[in-house]
Amino acid sequence: MLPWFDNGKFPLFLAPMAGVTDVVFRTICKELGADVMVTEFVSAEGIVRRDDRTRKYTSFTEEQRPVGVQLFGANGEAMGEAAKKIIDWKRPDFIDINYGCPVNKVVSKNGGSSLLRDCPLLASVAEGVHKAVGDQVPVTAKIRVGWDEKSINGPEVCKILEDCGMQAISIHGRTRSQGYRGEANWNIIDECARSVSVPVVGNGDITCGEDVEKRRKETAVSGLMIGRAAMQNPWVFREAKHFIETGEHLAPAPIEERWKLIIRHCTLAIESDRYGGEEKHTVMAMRSRLMTYCKGFRGAKPLRQLLCTVTSVSQLEDIAADHLSGKLFQDTLPVE
C-alpha cells in the first residue's frame, strides 16, 4: 500500500514544516525531485469543527502525489473522525500522525511530541486513526527519538506504532528537549529501523547528496526526509539524486536560477491566496522565507536588510536585477 518503497526504491520526503511546506513550496520541491510530500500539520479538532482556516492546510494538487495529510491531537476518536473528513474532502495517499512537533502551543495541548511521554495514549491515538481509515488509506506516523536524553524511547515507540497498524514511521533524530539544537542521533534512528518490519524514514541534518548516501549505506532506513535544508536550498533533492546516481556533486544552482525561483515563489504565493491574495500582505508574509533563500549569497547581510522591507514583486525584481548586475555588491556569486 506504500508503492514509493517498492522494488528497492529509496524515496526522499519533504518534511512537514508549519508555515513552510504549503501547496506552493511543495510544488517547487516536487519539481526539483522530492518524491513524497506531507502537508503542514493540522489540528484534528479544527478539522472536526470544519474550520475553513484549518481545512486550507490540507489542500494539495494532483501533481504533488504521493502526498499525506498530517494530523495532530490527543484523542484517538476525534483524530479518526478528522481523518475521515479529510478523505471525504480529497483523498490523500496516506494520513500521517504527528508525534514529533516540539513547539509549546502543540505540546501544551498534549499533542505532538508530548505523547512520547505517554505511550498508552500514543497507542490509543494510532489505533483510533487506523480503525477509522486504515481500510481506506495507509496510516503512518512521525516521531522524535524521545522526550529528552533521559527518556529516549524511539525503538519502543516504533514497536508500539507498528502493532497499532502504522505502515511507515518517520523519525527525527533529536529529542523534544533539543528542539533543533545539537546533532541528530542517527544511531537511534538506525536502531529504530532495525526494530520493526515497516519502513522507517530518517530525518535530521540531511543537507546534501553525500549525507543522503551516507545514511542510506550506514543505516537500515528505507528513505530519508529533508526539512530545514530545503528551505534555503530546495535544489537539495535534485542534488541528492544526482549524487546517488553518479557519485558526483552537482554544481549548485546558479544565482540567476535562484533569483528566478525566489520571484516565482512569491508570485505563486499571491496566486494561491494562502495569505489572502493581496500582493502587499503576501510579500510581507514571505519576507522571512526570502531571507532564508538568500543565505549564502554574497552581500547577504545588507541584502536581507532590503528584503525585510519589500512589499511587492516588482520591488523584489528590482532587488534581484541590481544584485545580479553587481550594482548592489561587487561579487554576486553564492558562497559554495
Side-chain angles (χ1 to χ4, degrees), residues 104-116:
N104 289 330
K105 70 177 182 179
V106 173
V107 170
S108 65
K109 295 180 180 179
N110 210 21
S113 57
S114 68
L115 291 169
L116 297 173

Side-chain angles (χ1 to χ4, degrees), residues 50-332:
R50 301 191 70 87
D51 185 334
D52 289 341
R53 291 176 300 175
T54 301
R55 181 171 172 173
K56 72 180 182 181
Y57 295 114
T58 70
S59 65
F60 59 88
T61 66
E62 290 299 305
E63 292 75 20
Q64 290 173 8
R65 291 187 184 275
V67 60
V69 173
Q70 189 181 76
L71 289 170
F72 80 88
N75 181 298
E77 186 176 346
M79 289 277 282
E81 185 63 27
K84 286 181 179 178
K85 289 183 180 294
I86 289 168
I87 291 171
D88 287 342
W89 292 341
K90 187 171 184 179
R91 190 183 183 105
D93 295 284
F94 59 100
I95 295 290
D96 191 59
I97 304 173
N98 183 316
Y99 295 117
C101 180
V103 300
N104 289 330
K105 70 177 182 179
V106 173
V107 170
S108 65
K109 295 180 180 179
N110 210 21
S113 57
S114 68
L115 291 169
L116 297 173
R117 297 180 295 180
D118 189 341
C119 288
L121 181 57
L122 176 144
S124 73
V125 168
E127 288 169 349
V129 179
H130 178 67
K131 181 180 178 181
V133 301
D135 60 339
Q136 300 177 64
V137 298
V139 182
T140 65
K142 186 168 193 289
I143 69 171
R144 285 182 170 238
V145 295
W147 175 259
D148 58 27
E149 290 300 317
K150 296 180 180 179
S151 57
I152 291 178
N153 60 349
E156 174 191 350
V157 169
C158 284
K159 291 176 184 176
I160 291 170
L161 292 173
E162 181 180 32
D163 290 342
C164 292
M166 301 299 97
Q167 294 197 27
I169 303 165
S170 301
I171 306 173
H172 185 105
R174 292 179 175 84
T175 64
R176 188 271 172 176
S177 63
Q178 277 183 276
Y180 296 97
R181 301 183 302 274
E183 295 182 356
N185 189 330
W186 280 87
N187 290 329
I188 297 297
I189 293 175
D190 183 45
E191 184 180 345
C192 288
R194 296 179 190 280
S195 70
V196 292
S197 59
V198 298
V200 167
V201 178
N203 178 211
D205 302 337
I206 302 295
T207 64
C208 63
E210 197 167 1
D211 292 337
V212 170
E213 186 68 358
K214 174 181 173 65
R215 301 309 179 187
R216 186 174 73 153
K217 285 184 175 180
E218 297 181 358
T219 72
V221 297
S222 299
L224 291 172
M225 184 172 276
I226 302 175
R228 288 176 297 158
M231 291 174 62
Q232 177 184 349
N233 180 34
W235 295 270
V236 65
F237 297 102
R238 185 173 72 188
E239 294 165 2
K241 288 188 171 181
H242 181 82
F243 187 88
I244 290 172
E245 292 169 4
T246 68
E248 299 175 353
H249 291 284
L250 189 66
I255 189 71
E256 294 83 4
E257 183 179 346
R258 292 175 183 270
W259 272 117
K260 184 178 180 180
L261 183 140
I262 291 168
I263 293 167
R264 178 179 176 230
H265 191 163
C266 267
T267 302
L268 290 175
I270 294 167
E271 295 172 355
S272 75
D273 197 32
R274 167 64 185 262
Y275 302 102
E278 182 185 343
E279 180 177 5
K280 180 178 179 180
H281 183 69
T282 299
V283 174
M284 290 174 66
M286 286 281 295
R287 285 173 179 172
S288 63
R289 303 298 313 283
L290 301 178
M291 288 187 279
T292 298
Y293 272 132
C294 292
K295 287 180 180 178
F297 282 22
R298 294 294 186 186
K301 184 175 180 179
L303 181 57
R304 286 195 297 270
Q305 291 173 343
L306 285 175
L307 291 174
C308 72
T309 65
V310 69
T311 59
S312 69
V313 173
S314 62
Q315 270 186 289
L316 184 61
E317 290 172 335
D318 289 342
I319 292 171
D322 288 345
H323 189 267
L324 289 169
S325 69
K327 183 177 178 182
L328 289 179
F329 315 106
Q330 278 190 327
D331 188 353
T332 63

